[in-house]
Amino acid sequence: MSDRLHTLSGYLYEYQKSVTQPEEFWARIADSFYWRKRWSKTLKWNFKDPDVKWFVNGKLNITENIFERNMFTMADRPAIIWEPNDPNEASRTLTYKELFHEVCRFANALKAKGIEKGDRVIIYMPMVPEAAVAMLACARIGAIHSVVFAGFSASALADRIKDCGAKAVLTSDGNFRGSKKIAVKGLVDEALEKSPVDTVIVYQRTHQEITMKEGRDFWWHDAVADQADTNVAEEMDSEDMLFILYTSGSTGKPKGVVHTTGGYMVYTKYSFENVFQYSPGDVYWCTADIGWITGHSYIVYGPLLCGATTLMFEGVPTYPDAGRFWAVVEKHKVNQFYTAPTAIRALQAYGTEPIQGYDLSSLKVLGSVGEPINEEAWHWYHTHIGKDKCPIVDTWWQTETGGIMVSPLAGITPTKPAYATLPLPGIQLCIVDADGNELTGNGVEGNLCVKFPWPSMIRTTYGDHDRCKQTYFSTYPNMYFTGDGVKRDHDGYYRILGRVDDVINVSGHRMGTAEVENAINEHPKVIESAVVGYPHEVKGQGIYAYVICDLTNRTEENLIQEIKDSVSKIIGPIAKPDKIQLVPGLPKTRSGKIMRRILRKVAENSLDNMGDTSTLLDPEVVKQIIEGRK
Ligand code: 6R9
């Protein structure tokens, strides 16, 4: 059943209803799903503890809502189309029936290995259909999945295994990425030395040589070989955990954002069909990796709950050349295309030549996610990819929000370049000043908060509820604080201005400055460091590191390289600083706080307005830093 809106007045009407009668509104949407037992109360909440429960006492399984609920009508419809890294390798299509059988077989395999409801399972896999099968099989048996982006290092993987106390790791022998072949199993082995698990299941992708540990490691194809293709889904409570996804914050350690079953299901389906205006038979493609929230909500759960055909792409935008995205759009006649501004800017740099010759006429909707989209990239996307006929949905949301919060509804909401436009039904935004006063009316700018719960919101941070409370619910009482700055213009449209905390956004990937500093500080020659973001043409933001170090027995150049390598090893290549400046000292206040504001100015090269430096312990340091800037 579809809950799709079709007109602007329809949206405005629904929005109004969703605010005045939120429980009735969401109960109506939730009623189109299959519940083993209907909920007794739609919502219970307070933002103080915080304690939020949707569809209280409802019983369900999310995979029953993907498969059994639709099986009579959709069995032969393509669920996943897979496009491999190498365009010469054949693509694969799995119908809903085929996907269902794969999920059941793998669910049975997990059970046979002793994985039970409530156990945590790490998924560290390439972009192959089996990664989606792995997630859905966990959901089928009630195990909690935690997908770790396959570009993270062994040590980042080990930290996540340990933090969630995982019982199993699902992985591959290796991954193809552009022209590279990455030895994934070796990284897993290294991680498991630090954080052991009972079971490892290895999907064979690259056929490279790996070591398998007797009794612990099993091949995927062996594990499913004798399994039945039917499986009775585990009955889950609406508030049972569906997954944990680690994300970076302003403090050192990544935190495990927890999403639960009922609310996440309702919201991802509802937001998917409305934002993208998906019609049965369309081919939808989101280029994200399943290691990020975008991959969870809008490659796997949202589209599949809608009975959509979702395309999964294993490769990168520039392999074998910068026309690859457009070749894939043409080949599979993609109707909705959803990517990140950093990819658009990277392709923009190649000019329009790589687009020539590809038939992009199937495209109906273009999407953007992950970071603010600058006007230039917006226009390029609109003109050269959308041929001025496809609406762009600039979707603002976060790992913590579970689903899209602010976005045009494609073809319904009039768009404006660089604006995420209006909140989705059920989303009650609030802009506050630094003291937490709500800024009402239009033409205001401040910090973005949400003042009422929505079904797919974060419930806790795994193993540390207080951290959830401190990070999101303590800055402003009775509000969820997003960490983003925002402007509401004279039309009431929202424009996201970027993070106001110590989180930077590099190519659409979230990174805590403290997290990068900790990694830099692990180098034995480093005494202290400070990391800030600076504007970067393609990545949105680049990483600029100021480092105090001991240069004995090293040249400056060597040490900078060693630091970069070591950050790659500790977190992953995505966290490698773009610029490292060795400095004699850092600008600190008398109380010992690093004044990042000054470091940001230097990194941005805007030196004329350094602001107040009177509280600095040693103003001389700033001069030296400016002289040595990169
Ligand atoms: C979905 C996702 C969340 C942060 C968020 C914000 C930035 C995401 C955006 C956007 C401007 C958009 N962000 N979408 N900024 N316009 N359309 O990206 O989740 O990885 O948790 O990042 O990304 O700063 O706070 P996540």
Side-chain angles (χ1 to χ4, degrees):
M1 208 166 97
S2 169
D3 285 300
R4 226 175 95 182
L5 300 165
H6 297 281
T7 59
L8 188 59
S9 55
Y11 157 75
L12 293 169
Y13 178 78
E14 282 285 273
Y15 185 80
Q16 212 45 44
K17 261 205 323 207
S18 77
V19 169
T20 51
Q21 298 180 299
E23 295 190 35
E24 288 81 350
F25 174 81
W26 286 114
R28 195 197 79 219
I29 307 289
D31 262 329
S32 65
F33 290 83
Y34 171 62
W35 298 82
R36 294 241 187 124
K37 181 174 154 268
R38 200 176 183 272
W39 57 94
S40 54
K41 186 163 177 23
T42 306
L43 171 65
K44 258 169 87 174
W45 72 288
N46 78 67
F47 275 179
K48 196 168 59 58
D49 296 336
D51 182 17
V52 175
K53 290 188 174 69
W54 280 94
F55 313 113
V56 183
N57 294 325
K59 305 287 176 201
L60 75 158
N61 187 290
I62 194 168
T63 69
E64 274 185 347
N65 280 277
I66 293 174
F67 299 116
E68 280 93 335
R69 185 172 69 110
N70 296 317
M71 216 26 96
F72 291 116
T73 48
M74 300 193 327
D76 297 321
R77 204 186 273 182
I80 295 179
I81 297 176
W82 176 71
E83 173 66 23
N85 178 61
D86 178 353
N88 297 316
E89 189 181 339
S91 44
R92 287 166 61 190
T93 299
L94 280 92
T95 64
Y96 272 85
K97 189 163 76 191
E98 287 164 344
L99 179 63
F100 183 35
H101 289 163
E102 291 306 314
V103 169
C104 289
R105 288 170 75 205
F106 196 64
N108 292 331
L110 288 174
K111 277 184 141 173
K113 296 279 179 260
I115 311 294
E116 293 170 2
K117 179 173 177 173
D119 287 342
R120 275 80 58 215
V121 174
I122 293 272
I123 301 176
Y124 187 65
M125 287 181 74
M127 286 289 288
V128 290
E130 283 69 16
V133 169
M135 292 164 76
L136 296 169
C138 287
R140 187 86 183 164
I141 65 169
I144 300 160
H145 59 73
S146 184
V147 184
V148 176
F149 173 57
F152 276 124
S153 67
S155 111
L157 175 62
D159 290 346
R160 286 155 176 78
I161 294 171
K162 196 165 177 190
D163 190 83
C164 72
K167 209 163 168 183
V169 174
L170 315 177
T171 188
S172 63
D173 50 354
N175 291 358
F176 294 117
R177 222 178 136 66
S179 53
K180 289 191 229 130
K181 194 155 112 177
I182 298 147
V184 177
K185 179 59 166 52
L187 295 173
V188 173
D189 293 337
E190 196 185 324
L192 294 183
E193 274 171 32
K194 239 168 96 184
S195 312
V197 298
D198 299 342
T199 306
V200 178
I201 301 182
V202 185
Y203 177 72
Q204 193 165 33
R205 175 64 190 123
T206 55
H207 294 263
Q208 66 203 90
E209 190 84 12
I210 59 168
T211 38
M212 295 287 274
K213 188 172 166 192
E214 184 75 38
R216 184 194 71 181
D217 300 354
F218 306 91
W219 286 108
W220 180 293
H221 50 261
D222 291 336
V224 297
D226 298 324
Q227 299 301 340
D229 59 11
T230 54
N231 168 282
V232 178
E234 193 71 38
E235 182 167 291
M236 306 300 287
D237 186 88
S238 178
E239 284 298 333
D240 276 341
M241 279 185 210
L242 177 63
F243 66 86
I244 304 167
L245 186 58
Y246 285 86
T247 190
S248 299
S250 1
T251 48
K253 207 172 113 218
K255 46 188 175 274
V257 172
V258 169
H259 285 290
T260 57
T261 307
Y264 180 82
M265 171 182 78
V266 169
Y267 196 80
T268 51
K269 176 191 177 258
Y270 179 76
S271 53
F272 172 76
E273 66 181 344
N274 277 292
V275 169
F276 296 100
Q277 290 290 301
Y278 184 87
S279 301
D282 284 349
V283 175
Y284 159 88
W285 179 19
C286 166
T287 69
D289 190 281
I290 47 144
W292 311 118
I293 191 70
T294 308
H296 284 61
S297 304
Y298 299 111
I299 293 177
V300 180
Y301 288 108
L304 295 178
L305 284 161
C306 248
T309 300
T310 177
L311 193 149
M312 254 179 113
F313 175 48
E314 183 185 32
V316 297
T318 49
Y319 179 81
D321 56 54
R324 186 66 192 281
F325 272 0
W326 323 125
V328 175
V329 168
E330 177 182 277
K331 179 174 172 190
H332 298 290
K333 301 200 169 43
V334 171
N335 301 112
Q336 289 91 3
F337 176 73
Y338 190 28
T339 196
T342 185
I344 300 166
R345 288 190 300 264
L347 294 174
Q348 204 181 343
Y350 290 87
T352 54
E353 207 260 327
I355 310 168
Q356 308 304 326
Y358 289 114
D359 179 6
L360 304 184
S361 62
S362 58
L363 289 173
K364 296 196 282 194
V365 176
L366 301 176
S368 171
V369 61
E371 53 181 314
I373 179 166
N374 48 309
E375 290 195 32
E376 206 193 335
W378 195 98
H379 285 294
W380 190 85
Y381 198 27
H382 193 256
T383 308
H384 297 292
I385 307 306
K387 316 293 180 195
D388 290 325
K389 69 173 178 57
C390 302
I392 294 180
V393 290
D394 176 2
T395 63
W396 174 84
W397 58 296
Q398 309 177 298
T399 304
E400 295 85 345
T401 69
I404 296 169
M405 303 287 277
V406 186
S407 168
L409 308 184
I412 294 174
T413 317
T415 59
K416 206 186 265 192
Y419 279 77
T421 74
L422 299 171
L424 262 61
I427 306 306
Q428 300 191 33
L429 303 176
C430 174
I431 304 183
V432 299
D433 66 15
D435 303 321
N437 304 310
E438 178 165 359
L439 303 172
T440 52
N442 291 338
V444 291
E445 202 177 301
N447 293 340
L448 182 60
C449 295
V450 189
K451 56 183 177 186
F452 194 84
W454 63 101
S456 64
M457 68 183 290
I458 179 174
R459 297 299 194 269
T460 187
T461 42
Y462 192 78
D464 190 353
H465 190 65
D466 194 53
R467 190 158 178 215
C468 173
K469 176 176 171 165
Q470 293 307 330
T471 313
Y472 308 106
F473 297 92
S474 298
T475 319
Y476 305 111
N478 293 317
M479 278 189 255
Y480 166 81
F481 175 45
T482 64
D484 279 308
V486 71
K487 167 180 153 176
R488 185 165 54 219
D489 76 357
H490 291 284
D491 297 325
Y493 267 32
Y494 289 85
R495 177 178 188 154
I496 308 299
L497 303 170
R499 302 288 304 198
V500 293
D501 53 9
D502 288 325
V503 171
I504 49 183
N505 194 323
V506 184
S507 299
H509 302 318
R510 261 168 80 167
M511 209 85 63
T513 49
E515 200 182 340
V516 183
E517 284 163 10
N518 289 347
I520 293 175
N521 296 349
E522 280 197 31
H523 191 286
K525 289 282 186 184
V526 170
I527 296 158
E528 201 181 358
S529 66
V531 164
V532 296
Y534 70 97
H536 186 288
E537 250 183 47
V538 172
K539 298 178 171 184
Q541 278 190 300
I543 303 178
Y544 196 122
Y546 299 88
V547 184
I548 309 175
C549 57
D550 161 19
L551 263 177
T552 38
N553 304 326
R554 293 285 201 292
T555 66
E556 196 167 303
E557 211 174 293
N558 286 345
L559 190 56
I560 287 177
Q561 195 52 49
E562 282 177 28
I563 293 173
K564 286 187 178 176
D565 293 346
S566 117
V567 173
S568 261
K569 186 129 182 53
I570 294 167
I571 306 176
I574 50 174
K576 201 176 359 178
D578 298 275
K579 295 182 181 179
I580 296 181
Q581 179 183 345
L582 304 187
V583 292
L586 291 167
K588 287 192 179 171
T589 61
R590 276 166 231 280
S591 60
K593 275 211 180 80
I594 297 173
M595 287 187 81
R596 287 163 195 284
R597 180 171 54 76
I598 292 177
L599 295 175
R600 259 183 238 125
K601 292 263 181 212
V602 177
E604 281 166 17
N605 227 340
S606 52
L607 305 177
D608 29 339
N609 176 21
M610 295 296 273
D612 180 17
T613 52
S614 62
T615 56
L616 277 179
L617 189 62
D618 178 10
E620 194 55 29
V621 156
V622 180
K623 244 193 249 155
Q624 291 166 329
I625 290 179
I626 292 174
E627 277 160 17
R629 72 185 184 274
K630 293 266 164 178

